[in-house]
Amino acid sequence: MSKKYITLADETGASTLYEILDECTLDSGAYLAIVPVATEYYVVKKVNAGKKNESFVSVDGKELERVEGVFQSRLSAIDYDNE
């Protein structure tokens, strides 16, 4: 099942992206179960600590700037409303 998204604006005009978890009809009403999609993300670096164990470390400085550039470019290309 592919994920579905919807963008809703609140009374102040602020938009929030939601993932649609499920949809149903009940007594002639249509309902959605939705969860907000985080607008912030964190960048961590995966470090192999063995075959079965992985660990993650925080990233900062120039390394963070370079990696954020990659993620921002890739994530901005996603059309969440039509995915």
Side-chain angles (χ1 to χ4, degrees), residues 41-46 59 63-78 80:
Y41 62 88
Y42 301 92
V43 176
V44 294
K45 184 176 185 176
K46 183 166 60 170
V59 181
E63 182 180 20
L64 177 59
E65 290 175 18
R66 289 183 60 225
V67 175
E68 276 185 328
V70 171
F71 282 128
Q72 287 176 0
S73 175
R74 292 169 63 160
L75 295 172
S76 68
I78 298 172
Y80 291 101

Side-chain angles (χ1 to χ4, degrees), residues 8 25 28 49 57 77 80:
L8 301 175
T25 303
S28 72
V57 296
Y80 291 101

Side-chain angles (χ1 to χ4, degrees), residues 14-74:
S15 295
T16 303
L17 179 67
Y18 294 88
E19 180 181 348
I20 300 172
L21 300 176
D22 200 1
E23 301 178 52
C24 74
T25 303
L26 182 63
D27 299 329
S28 72
Y31 300 89
L32 300 176
I34 61 176
V35 61
V37 176
T39 56
E40 263 186 79
Y41 62 88
Y42 301 92
V43 176
V44 294
K45 184 176 185 176
K46 183 166 60 170
V47 180
N48 290 333
K51 287 185 177 182
K52 294 184 180 181
N53 296 323
E54 293 177 332
S55 60
F56 298 88
V57 296
S58 60
V59 181
D60 58 12
K62 295 283 185 191
E63 182 180 20
L64 177 59
E65 290 175 18
R66 289 183 60 225
V67 175
E68 276 185 328
V70 171
F71 282 128
Q72 287 176 0
S73 175
R74 292 169 63 160

